[in-house]
Amino acid sequence: MPTIVLSLGKRSYEIHAANASLDRLGAIIHRHHMEGRAALVTDSNVAPLFADNARHSLEEAGYNVSLHVIDAGEASKSLPCVEQLASELAAHGHDRTSFIVALGGGVVGDLAGFAAATYYRGIPFVQVPTTVMAQVDSSVGGKTAVNISAGKNLVGAFHQPALVVIDPTTLATLPPRIVSEGMAEMVKHAAIRDPEMLSEFAGLSREIELGFSLATMEKLPALLARNVAIKARIVEEDERETTGVRAFLNFGHTIGHGIEASLPYGALLHGEAVSLGMRSALALSERRAGLAHAESLRILRVLHELGLPLTLPEGIRVETVLEKTAADKKFRGGAIRFVLLKAPGEPVLSGEVTQDDLREAVELLKTQPFV
Amino acid sequence: MPTIVLSLGKRSYEIHAANASLDRLGAIIHRHHMEGRAALVTDSNVAPLFADNARHSLEEAGYNVSLHVIDAGEASKSLPCVEQLASELAAHGHDRTSFIVALGGGVVGDLAGFAAATYYRGIPFVQVPTTVMAQVDSSVGGKTAVNISAGKNLVGAFHQPALVVIDPTTLATLPPRIVSEGMAEMVKHAAIRDPEMLSEFAGLSREIELGFSLATMEKLPALLARNVAIKARIVEEDERETTGVRAFLNFGHTIGHGIEASLPYGALLHGEAVSLGMRSALALSERRAGLAHAESLRILRVLHELGLPLTLPEGIRVETVLEKTAADKKFRGGAIRFVLLKAPGEPVLSGEVTQDDLREAVELLKTQPFV
C-alpha cells in the first residue's frame, strides 16, 4: 500500500493509504508497536458508519478499547468538549500509557488531537481521517486546536500523530459537496508543488455527483498519497511555521478565511471559501508575481469542474471580506504578506500586495462570473 | 547574580536569582532578546504587591504591556480560566509574536504557562515566581497544567519557560506558613541530591515566623539558586519523565498526594502534605532501602524545625489515605513503584514496597508523634 514517511526525527511517522485499511486498523497500529489501551474518538455522524468496524479491528489486534462519541460539527471544537473528553478518558482509566485514535473529519482530528496533546501533558495518537479534507490536509502536520469565542483555532498545540491511516473507501459515504470542498485543498497542493497533478482531477470531477467508479477507487490511494506527500514534505521543512515554507500551504487561505469570517458559520464550507480565496490569489499572482494568465485559467477551470464556487454568494459585502481579511494580518508599509504563484509549482511569499490590490481581488469575486 | 543554566538544546534557558531583580525585570528580559508585546499575568493577591513594579520595569525596557489578573487560588487552574485568559489576550491584540510573563506562585505559573503552551499553539513565557514553592520547584521544568473535575493537572503540556527570574525579596510578603510549605520542597531537593544543604535550613527555620534577617536575605539568592539547580539538573536528564530520573522528584509525593486527596482542599498545603509523605517515605526507606535511622532522623528534624507537620491532622482516616494513594498507582505483583533513599543524596526507584509496608508507613503518621 502507498506509504509516505514524514521525517521529523523522533517525531517521524508514516502515512498509509489503502482501500479497506480501516478493517486492518488494529493490525496496522500493532505493527507500529503502539502499546497500551486505546481510546477511540469519533463523532455522531461517523460513529454509526465506522466505529464498530474500527473497534473490532483494534480489539482483534489485542487492544482494550473505549469509545467516545462527540457531537458532529464545529461546535465540538471547544475547551468544554476537551474537558468532557478528558473526563471520559479518566473515567475509563486511561493514563499516560494509553493512546487515542481519532476517527473522522477535521473536527474530530483537531479535538482528539488537542486532547492527546494535553491529556497527562501529552499521549500518542493515530489519525484515521474519513474526509478528503482530513485525508490530504488536516490529519497531517500536527496542528491541533479548538476554537474560543475570540477566534478559531486560538488555543491549540503542535502534536504530531504517531501514525496516519487513510482508507479512501470511507469517502463513498460523503455527500458530494463535502468531497468537492476537500478537493479544493488537493488542488491547492497541486498548484503550489505538483502542477502535473492538476490533470488528474478532471476525471474525478465527473464522478463526484454519482460516486467514484471502481476504476477511480483503485487509483485513489496512490493519488491521495501523492497529494498528502506534498504537505508532508512542506511540514518536514518547516514544522512550526517559522521559516515561511509552511506558509505556502496558506495559498488561497488569507482571503478564504476572510470570506469564511464574513458569513454565518456553515454558509460556505472551508474548502469552498478556499476556492474563492484561490481565485483572488491567482489574480494577485498575475498582477504581482508574473503568473501567466493561461496558467491561472487552467487552475480555475479545475476548481470549476470540481463544482467549487468561484463567485461570492449573494449578500456578502466586499467591505466586510476586506475587514475580516485584514483583521489577522499586519500591513507593513501598506503591504501585506501574501502567498502568490510565480508559476504553477512555484509559490512565493510576497510583501508587495497592497490594500488596493486586495480590494480589486475581492471585488473580482463579486463582479466577474467565471465561465 | 547567581545564574543557573538549564540545558535542553533549543529549549535551554537561564534561571536568575537576585534580590530586587523584579525592579530590573524588563532589562533582564530585554537582555535575553525577547521580542514582541508582553502579557503580564498575575493573581489578585500578587497584583497589589508587585504588578505595578513589574509593569513599569517592562515598559521602561520598551515593552508594550497588558495586565491580566486572575482570581487567587487553585480554582483558577481550570479550562474556563484558560479560555477567559486567551480571550483577554486576543482582545488586547496579542498574537504568536507576543510573550507571557507569569508573576506569582504555582497557580499563576501553571495557568499562565498552559496558556502560553496553547495560545496560537504556543508562545514564549517568562516565569517570575513569588513563593518559595514556585521559586525552587514549580517555575522550573516546563510542567504546566490545569485541573479538571476528574483530577488535578490532568490537562496540561510540557512547555519550558524562556527564562526564570527569581526575586527572593518577594518572599518577605508571604505568611510564614506559605514560606514553610515551600521549604518542604527545598528539603526534598537536598535529601535526594545535596544532603550537605540540610544544615543550611536550621538557621532559616528560626526566622520564618519573624521574617528573614538582612544577613539571611543576602544569602538567599545563592541558596535558592543552589536548590533549584538540583531540579534543573534532573530535568536536563529526563525532561519528560520517561527514564525514571525525574521520578526522583516525587520523593515524599506518592503518599503526600494521597493525603492531599483525603482532605478537603486547603486543609493542608501541598508542602505540608509532602512533609508528611516524606516521613512515610523515610520509614519505607529504612525498611526497604537500608537508609540508616540516624539519617532519617536528621531529615525529619529539619522538617520539624521548619514548622512542617509530621503527624496527620485529626479526623483523617488511614484507610482513606491508602485508597487515595493507590488510586493513581499500579501495584505490580503486589508491589508499588516508590522513590526511596538508600542514603541522603542517593534515591532509588524501588519495586519492593508492598501494600502492608504502605499501611504501616501511613499508620505511623497517625500513631507516632514526632518529638
Side-chain angles (χ1 to χ4, degrees), chain B residues 120-140:
Chain B
Y120 276 85
R121 298 194 184 90
I123 61 173
F125 80 120
V126 177
Q127 288 273 24
V128 188
T130 60
T131 63
V132 177
M133 178 73 75
Q135 289 177 349
V136 301
D137 190 0
S138 60
S139 69
V140 167

mmCIF file of all heavy atoms in Angstrom, chain B residues 120-140:
data_model
loop_
_atom_site.group_PDB
_atom_site.id
_atom_site.type_symbol
_atom_site.label_atom_id
_atom_site.label_comp_id
_atom_site.label_asym_id
_atom_site.label_seq_id
_atom_site.Cartn_x
_atom_site.Cartn_y
_atom_site.Cartn_z
ATOM 1 N N TYR B 120 -2.232 30.368 20.296
ATOM 2 C CA TYR B 120 -1.623 30.271 18.963
ATOM 3 C C TYR B 120 -0.693 29.059 18.870
ATOM 4 O O TYR B 120 0.360 29.133 18.256
ATOM 5 C CB TYR B 120 -0.855 31.549 18.613
ATOM 6 C CG TYR B 120 -1.723 32.654 18.038
ATOM 7 C CD1 TYR B 120 -2.403 33.531 18.868
ATOM 8 C CD2 TYR B 120 -1.878 32.795 16.659
ATOM 9 C CE1 TYR B 120 -3.199 34.547 18.348
ATOM 10 C CE2 TYR B 120 -2.668 33.811 16.126
ATOM 11 C CZ TYR B 120 -3.323 34.676 16.979
ATOM 12 O OH TYR B 120 -4.108 35.678 16.455
ATOM 13 N N ARG B 121 -1.065 27.982 19.531
ATOM 14 C CA ARG B 121 -0.277 26.743 19.576
ATOM 15 C C ARG B 121 1.111 26.945 20.193
ATOM 16 O O ARG B 121 2.049 26.208 19.880
ATOM 17 C CB ARG B 121 -0.139 26.126 18.179
ATOM 18 C CG ARG B 121 -1.462 25.730 17.557
ATOM 19 C CD ARG B 121 -1.283 24.834 16.337
ATOM 20 N NE ARG B 121 -2.564 24.548 15.707
ATOM 21 C CZ ARG B 121 -3.116 25.275 14.743
ATOM 22 N NH1 ARG B 121 -2.482 26.331 14.284
ATOM 23 N NH2 ARG B 121 -4.289 24.940 14.251
ATOM 24 N N GLY B 122 1.246 27.934 21.071
ATOM 25 C CA GLY B 122 2.496 28.059 21.802
ATOM 26 C C GLY B 122 3.227 29.362 21.569
ATOM 27 O O GLY B 122 3.655 29.648 20.453
ATOM 28 N N ILE B 123 3.355 30.155 22.638
ATOM 29 C CA ILE B 123 4.169 31.372 22.591
ATOM 30 C C ILE B 123 5.142 31.312 23.777
ATOM 31 O O ILE B 123 4.924 30.543 24.710
ATOM 32 C CB ILE B 123 3.298 32.654 22.644
ATOM 33 C CG1 ILE B 123 2.492 32.729 23.949
ATOM 34 C CG2 ILE B 123 2.366 32.725 21.431
ATOM 35 C CD1 ILE B 123 1.736 34.058 24.127
ATOM 36 N N PRO B 124 6.233 32.076 23.731
ATOM 37 C CA PRO B 124 7.213 32.012 24.833
ATOM 38 C C PRO B 124 6.642 32.594 26.123
ATOM 39 O O PRO B 124 5.710 33.403 26.087
ATOM 40 C CB PRO B 124 8.367 32.896 24.331
ATOM 41 C CG PRO B 124 8.100 33.140 22.884
ATOM 42 C CD PRO B 124 6.638 33.006 22.675
ATOM 43 N N PHE B 125 7.195 32.162 27.254
ATOM 44 C CA PHE B 125 6.806 32.801 28.511
ATOM 45 C C PHE B 125 7.961 32.846 29.495
ATOM 46 O O PHE B 125 8.916 32.070 29.400
ATOM 47 C CB PHE B 125 5.551 32.158 29.112
ATOM 48 C CG PHE B 125 5.750 30.865 29.867
ATOM 49 C CD1 PHE B 125 5.408 30.771 31.215
ATOM 50 C CD2 PHE B 125 6.253 29.746 29.231
ATOM 51 C CE1 PHE B 125 5.561 29.584 31.913
ATOM 52 C CE2 PHE B 125 6.409 28.548 29.926
ATOM 53 C CZ PHE B 125 6.069 28.473 31.267
ATOM 54 N N VAL B 126 7.865 33.817 30.405
ATOM 55 C CA VAL B 126 8.883 34.037 31.436
ATOM 56 C C VAL B 126 8.242 33.755 32.782
ATOM 57 O O VAL B 126 7.140 34.222 33.051
ATOM 58 C CB VAL B 126 9.386 35.504 31.393
ATOM 59 C CG1 VAL B 126 10.391 35.757 32.512
ATOM 60 C CG2 VAL B 126 9.996 35.815 30.036
ATOM 61 N N GLN B 127 8.905 32.966 33.607
ATOM 62 C CA GLN B 127 8.401 32.703 34.948
ATOM 63 C C GLN B 127 9.028 33.686 35.934
ATOM 64 O O GLN B 127 10.254 33.816 35.987
ATOM 65 C CB GLN B 127 8.763 31.268 35.375
ATOM 66 C CG GLN B 127 7.978 30.169 34.658
ATOM 67 C CD GLN B 127 6.651 29.839 35.346
ATOM 68 O OE1 GLN B 127 6.076 30.651 36.066
ATOM 69 N NE2 GLN B 127 6.161 28.627 35.106
ATOM 70 N N VAL B 128 8.182 34.357 36.695
ATOM 71 C CA VAL B 128 8.665 35.233 37.765
ATOM 72 C C VAL B 128 7.978 34.769 39.054
ATOM 73 O O VAL B 128 6.967 35.320 39.476
ATOM 74 C CB VAL B 128 8.347 36.714 37.469
ATOM 75 C CG1 VAL B 128 9.026 37.624 38.493
ATOM 76 C CG2 VAL B 128 8.792 37.090 36.056
ATOM 77 N N PRO B 129 8.537 33.712 39.676
ATOM 78 C CA PRO B 129 7.886 33.080 40.821
ATOM 79 C C PRO B 129 8.039 33.919 42.084
ATOM 80 O O PRO B 129 9.104 34.471 42.339
ATOM 81 C CB PRO B 129 8.632 31.756 40.942
ATOM 82 C CG PRO B 129 9.994 32.029 40.365
ATOM 83 C CD PRO B 129 9.770 33.024 39.256
ATOM 84 N N THR B 130 6.972 33.992 42.881
ATOM 85 C CA THR B 130 6.994 34.861 44.073
ATOM 86 C C THR B 130 6.755 34.088 45.372
ATOM 87 O O THR B 130 6.524 34.697 46.407
ATOM 88 C CB THR B 130 5.913 35.959 43.947
ATOM 89 O OG1 THR B 130 4.634 35.316 43.827
ATOM 90 C CG2 THR B 130 6.160 36.852 42.752
ATOM 91 N N THR B 131 6.768 32.743 45.316
ATOM 92 C CA THR B 131 6.723 31.937 46.541
ATOM 93 C C THR B 131 7.942 31.008 46.540
ATOM 94 O O THR B 131 8.535 30.760 45.472
ATOM 95 C CB THR B 131 5.459 31.050 46.606
ATOM 96 O OG1 THR B 131 5.480 30.124 45.513
ATOM 97 C CG2 THR B 131 4.182 31.891 46.531
ATOM 98 N N VAL B 132 8.294 30.495 47.711
ATOM 99 C CA VAL B 132 9.421 29.556 47.776
ATOM 100 C C VAL B 132 9.123 28.347 46.888
ATOM 101 O O VAL B 132 9.966 27.903 46.091
ATOM 102 C CB VAL B 132 9.667 29.091 49.227
ATOM 103 C CG1 VAL B 132 10.791 28.049 49.260
ATOM 104 C CG2 VAL B 132 10.005 30.272 50.121
ATOM 105 N N MET B 133 7.892 27.828 47.042
ATOM 106 C CA MET B 133 7.471 26.655 46.268
ATOM 107 C C MET B 133 7.681 26.868 44.769
ATOM 108 O O MET B 133 8.205 26.011 44.071
ATOM 109 C CB MET B 133 5.986 26.402 46.558
ATOM 110 C CG MET B 133 5.354 25.267 45.816
ATOM 111 S SD MET B 133 5.868 23.659 46.429
ATOM 112 C CE MET B 133 4.929 23.596 47.959
ATOM 113 N N ALA B 134 7.272 28.031 44.283
ATOM 114 C CA ALA B 134 7.407 28.315 42.851
ATOM 115 C C ALA B 134 8.868 28.579 42.485
ATOM 116 O O ALA B 134 9.322 28.194 41.406
ATOM 117 C CB ALA B 134 6.522 29.498 42.464
ATOM 118 N N GLN B 135 9.622 29.223 43.387
ATOM 119 C CA GLN B 135 10.994 29.602 43.054
ATOM 120 C C GLN B 135 11.927 28.401 42.939
ATOM 121 O O GLN B 135 12.808 28.373 42.081
ATOM 122 C CB GLN B 135 11.526 30.605 44.091
ATOM 123 C CG GLN B 135 10.851 31.979 43.935
ATOM 124 C CD GLN B 135 11.264 32.999 44.967
ATOM 125 O OE1 GLN B 135 11.916 32.665 45.954
ATOM 126 N NE2 GLN B 135 10.889 34.244 44.753
ATOM 127 N N VAL B 136 11.736 27.402 43.791
ATOM 128 C CA VAL B 136 12.663 26.263 43.735
ATOM 129 C C VAL B 136 12.068 25.059 43.018
ATOM 130 O O VAL B 136 12.753 24.070 42.788
ATOM 131 C CB VAL B 136 13.127 25.806 45.143
ATOM 132 C CG1 VAL B 136 13.826 26.933 45.864
ATOM 133 C CG2 VAL B 136 11.972 25.245 45.960
ATOM 134 N N ASP B 137 10.781 25.140 42.679
ATOM 135 C CA ASP B 137 10.160 23.935 42.142
ATOM 136 C C ASP B 137 9.294 24.204 40.907
ATOM 137 O O ASP B 137 9.713 23.970 39.774
ATOM 138 C CB ASP B 137 9.348 23.246 43.243
ATOM 139 C CG ASP B 137 8.859 21.860 42.854
ATOM 140 O OD1 ASP B 137 9.158 21.430 41.725
ATOM 141 O OD2 ASP B 137 8.184 21.211 43.666
ATOM 142 N N SER B 138 8.084 24.751 41.092
ATOM 143 C CA SER B 138 7.113 24.710 40.003
ATOM 144 C C SER B 138 7.459 25.597 38.812
ATOM 145 O O SER B 138 7.007 25.324 37.698
ATOM 146 C CB SER B 138 5.709 25.027 40.518
ATOM 147 O OG SER B 138 5.653 26.303 41.097
ATOM 148 N N SER B 139 8.285 26.649 39.010
ATOM 149 C CA SER B 139 8.576 27.532 37.871
ATOM 150 C C SER B 139 9.589 26.912 36.911
ATOM 151 O O SER B 139 9.769 27.392 35.799
ATOM 152 C CB SER B 139 9.113 28.879 38.371
ATOM 153 O OG SER B 139 10.402 28.720 38.929
ATOM 154 N N VAL B 140 10.242 25.857 37.353
ATOM 155 C CA VAL B 140 11.329 25.254 36.568
ATOM 156 C C VAL B 140 10.942 23.848 36.126
ATOM 157 O O VAL B 140 10.380 23.082 36.910
ATOM 158 C CB VAL B 140 12.618 25.218 37.408
ATOM 159 C CG1 VAL B 140 13.675 24.325 36.784
ATOM 160 C CG2 VAL B 140 13.152 26.630 37.587
#
